[in-house]
Amino acid sequence: MKKLFLLFFLSSFCFSQTAKDQFYDEFTNPDLNNKLSNYLKENLHQDLLKDITYPEKSKKIILSFQINKENIPYLIDINSFRNEELRKSLKKLFKEYNLNNFTTKFDTRKKYSLQIITNNGISNIVNCSTIPLEISSPNYKSCEDLDFYSDTNYCVNKNIRNHFYNSINYNLADSILTKEERVTLDFKVLIDKNGKLKVTELKAPEIFKKNITKITEKYDTVFTPKMINNKPTNYYYHIKQVFEKGKKPISNLELDYNFDSIFKPNSTNELANYFKKNLSPEDIKKANLNRVNDRLKLYFELDVTGKPFKISTNSRSDLLEKKIINIFNKYDLSKSTFKNIHPVNRYFTPIIKYENGINKVVTNSIMGYSRIPVFPNCKNSLNATMGKNCYNRTITEFFVKNFNSNLSLRLGLAPGKKRILVKFKIDKEGKVTDVSCKAPHPKLEEESIRVIKKLTKASPAMFGDKPSKVGFALPITFNVE
């Protein structure tokens, strides 16, 4: 193993359910000289094209986005997550691109994707789609009132996972004769082209396989299928549950974190009154909220002087986000109450909340906070960004130091770029758990899992004043020569 490149993500990376490569050739009319191609060739630094890591089994860089009610793109994403500078540049340039150059009539209920860069066998070239690919989420009767793609998608997934959670007979675990106290149910749910629910890739003890299969066969609800350019296509949703015998797994409903009882959001506290004075009724209406995505939240860190920085929101509107950040920057934060002050905390509060069909200004009376796990050598980090960087660096250095890099030389792997993806969780006690790995050889999987399991115990992540179990992903790229 001559070269080893690592990149660590503090949350699960997901550029989910992208369309197949041939869809872009078939439906989007890629052209080296269309308006978008020429715009990017003029404005994208050419050095960013020299070293591109494509997704597995693909030679296309795809940009996806959704549209808000002001016909402005948001949630812009790129399917090449190992090229951070390329990601940042493409996202910035696309935000500044005039969507009127497309003939598409955009819809908030759809997601769009464009081919941006391809490899012609010799080099990487800008070769953009002329027409965006249009993707519609599968739909369900209780989700039909939602008018944003991501909200419909969330609603459908929630209905699916809750159906299985409420239907699986977890007491069956008591009849399994094994020393293992934990049971794992791992499967994909498929909504096929006819809108019928099926289960595939089912990994579970035999008695649970029969139970899950029976549950699926009796499910008689028909979905509106996922559509790509108005053509039905298969949609997959992954469910994994790990639980101890005699205990039911924690419901995903319980994992939809809501800590209002701790942070006491209301419309009459100091911060709420401040925002009500500075946000217009038009601003509040433009929050693009609904019963699923019911809060526009603000996030920030504190520097050593107590001044906020790294301020962001989950707004679907860049213009509204900029206004909220500008208003917050002028607020006297000494007037706010903090339940917990820690250098690595990241703080949050709602700003606008959807209630009873209307948007209104609501903020936390006590600032909410979250904190990533902190390794002993990271305890002197001065802020959340430094804590995150230290966390990344600690895991990267630990993996490089302990991974047997000579292993690949003995496995007879074909020359070329190889990928390993390690997933794991850090539990409420700060211990590594639930480690899994995908690699081009079982021995590489075993070695990666062995190394990650040896990680030093960290102080646990915190969310809403409680220790929290969190999942991480460690993608590794290496060359076999």
Side-chain angles (χ1 to χ4, degrees):
M1 187 177 289
K2 300 292 181 65
K3 297 179 182 177
L4 184 66
F5 306 100
L6 296 100
L7 186 62
F8 184 78
F9 280 85
L10 286 176
S11 59
S12 298
F13 172 81
C14 185
F15 189 91
S16 62
Q17 308 226 13
T18 53
K20 296 178 181 178
D21 275 8
Q22 63 264 31
F23 281 28
Y24 295 94
D25 297 327
E26 182 179 352
F27 297 121
T28 72
N29 189 22
D31 189 337
L32 295 166
N33 296 301
N34 62 26
K35 291 181 180 179
L36 182 57
S37 292
N38 289 332
Y39 167 75
L40 291 179
K41 282 187 283 189
E42 290 174 8
N43 294 282
L44 184 67
H45 200 293
Q46 293 304 297
D47 285 350
L48 296 176
L49 298 177
K50 291 180 180 178
D51 183 23
I52 291 179
T53 302
Y54 290 90
E56 191 174 359
K57 299 179 182 179
S58 175
K59 285 298 180 183
K60 295 183 186 294
I61 298 300
I62 303 300
L63 179 147
S64 73
F65 63 98
Q66 296 175 42
I67 291 288
N68 65 18
K69 291 185 177 179
E70 288 71 55
N71 207 42
I72 297 173
Y74 73 101
L75 286 181
I76 301 169
D77 203 0
I78 313 295
N79 69 335
S80 180
F81 57 92
R82 288 179 173 87
N83 307 88
E84 189 58 27
E85 287 304 312
L86 177 65
R87 284 170 56 82
K88 288 179 181 178
S89 295
L90 285 175
K91 289 170 74 171
K92 180 179 182 296
L93 288 171
F94 191 73
K95 279 185 178 182
E96 297 167 356
Y97 187 67
N98 186 354
L99 291 189
N100 291 329
N101 288 324
F102 296 113
T103 58
T104 302
K105 184 177 180 181
F106 293 106
D107 187 337
T108 62
R109 293 166 296 181
K110 294 182 179 181
K111 182 171 78 171
Y112 299 89
S113 59
L114 298 156
Q115 172 182 305
I116 298 295
I117 298 167
T118 58
N119 185 282
N120 62 6
I122 301 173
S123 60
N124 302 312
I125 56 173
V126 174
N127 183 19
C128 298
S129 300
T130 303
I131 306 165
L133 199 69
E134 300 183 9
I135 304 168
S136 299
S137 170
N139 214 331
Y140 181 76
K141 57 187 177 183
S142 65
C143 305
E144 291 173 349
D145 63 307
L146 300 169
D147 50 7
F148 285 95
Y149 172 91
S150 53
D151 297 338
T152 301
N153 198 247
Y154 173 84
C155 181
V156 168
N157 290 343
K158 186 173 182 177
N159 273 283
I160 292 172
R161 71 181 188 238
N162 288 343
H163 168 71
F164 282 96
Y165 177 81
N166 293 323
S167 302
I168 292 172
N169 181 5
Y170 296 102
N171 292 327
L172 294 173
D174 297 336
S175 64
I176 300 174
L177 300 177
T178 174
K179 294 181 181 179
E180 293 291 332
E181 290 300 315
R182 303 178 83 192
V183 177
T184 299
L185 311 179
D186 191 348
F187 55 98
K188 285 184 179 178
V189 178
L190 162 66
I191 299 175
D192 69 14
K193 296 177 184 180
N194 296 312
K196 295 291 291 182
L197 197 71
K198 299 179 180 178
V199 165
T200 182
E201 299 182 30
L202 176 53
K203 299 174 184 176
E206 193 62 35
I207 194 168
F208 278 101
K209 285 184 179 180
K210 293 178 180 178
N211 182 231
I212 292 169
T213 301
K214 188 175 181 180
I215 290 168
T216 308
E217 289 172 349
K218 287 188 173 182
Y219 192 76
D220 57 3
T221 298
V222 177
F223 293 82
T224 301
K226 174 184 175 182
M227 309 289 280
I228 296 182
N229 277 28
N230 296 317
K231 292 186 177 181
T233 188
N234 290 337
Y235 174 85
Y236 295 90
Y237 180 65
H238 183 206
I239 294 177
K240 184 175 182 180
Q241 298 177 346
V242 181
F243 60 98
E244 294 182 15
K245 290 183 180 180
K247 295 182 180 180
K248 191 173 183 179
I250 296 174
S251 166
N252 280 282
L253 284 171
E254 296 175 54
L255 293 176
D256 291 337
Y257 297 106
N258 186 333
F259 296 105
D260 287 357
S261 62
I262 299 172
F263 303 124
K264 305 183 187 307
N266 62 67
S267 60
T268 59
N269 60 52
E270 186 85 28
L271 183 59
N273 287 330
Y274 172 75
F275 268 101
K276 280 191 282 189
K277 290 178 183 177
N278 289 279
L279 285 175
S280 70
E282 289 74 22
D283 292 328
I284 296 169
K285 286 180 182 179
K286 290 179 181 177
N288 288 295
L289 300 176
N290 55 43
R291 64 177 177 82
V292 168
N293 184 23
D294 65 348
R295 301 184 189 198
L296 192 162
K297 295 181 182 178
L298 179 139
Y299 307 87
F300 63 96
E301 300 176 27
L302 293 178
D303 65 18
V304 291
T305 69
K307 183 179 179 180
F309 75 108
K310 288 274 185 177
I311 307 170
S312 63
T313 78
N314 66 334
S315 174
R316 287 172 164 143
S317 165
D318 285 348
L319 294 176
L320 182 56
E321 177 176 74
K322 289 175 183 176
K323 184 164 186 177
I324 287 173
I325 291 173
N326 183 54
I327 292 170
F328 184 68
N329 268 322
K330 298 174 182 177
Y331 181 68
D332 181 1
L333 207 54
S334 66
K335 297 178 180 180
S336 294
T337 301
F338 290 81
K339 184 177 180 67
N340 180 284
I341 296 288
H342 188 287
V344 185
N345 282 355
R346 185 157 174 80
Y347 302 93
F348 62 87
T349 177
I351 300 296
I352 303 172
K353 186 179 179 183
Y354 179 85
E355 285 185 353
N356 301 318
I358 61 170
N359 296 339
K360 65 179 184 179
V361 173
V362 171
T363 66
N364 284 338
S365 298
I366 302 170
M367 282 294 176
Y369 74 96
S370 62
R371 182 164 68 241
I372 63 170
V374 179
F375 285 117
N377 61 301
C378 301
K379 64 182 180 181
N380 294 323
S381 300
L382 299 179
N383 52 57
T385 298
M386 288 180 64
K388 177 179 176 179
N389 291 339
C390 182
Y391 193 94
N392 293 351
R393 186 171 60 252
T394 299
I395 292 182
T396 299
E397 291 174 355
F398 182 86
F399 195 93
V400 171
K401 180 180 178 180
N402 291 278
F403 189 85
N404 181 1
S405 58
N406 294 318
L407 184 61
S408 68
L409 301 176
R410 305 197 300 265
L411 296 177
L413 299 176
K417 189 174 288 186
K418 309 296 178 185
R419 296 186 179 95
I420 298 172
L421 180 63
V422 188
K423 293 183 179 181
F424 60 98
K425 292 179 180 177
I426 293 183
D427 67 17
K428 294 179 182 181
E429 296 180 354
K431 298 176 183 177
V432 172
T433 184
D434 298 343
V435 186
S436 63
C437 180
K438 286 186 178 181
H441 193 284
K443 292 292 184 183
L444 292 175
E445 293 179 354
E446 290 176 12
E447 176 64 6
S448 299
I449 291 171
R450 180 192 70 80
V451 173
I452 291 298
K453 282 186 173 181
K454 290 177 63 179
L455 271 171
T456 305
K457 182 180 177 181
S459 63
M462 299 292 291
F463 194 81
D465 207 35
K466 296 179 181 179
S468 178
K469 186 176 183 178
V470 288
F472 301 104
L474 176 65
I476 303 134
T477 300
F478 63 92
N479 285 332
V480 176
E481 299 177 351

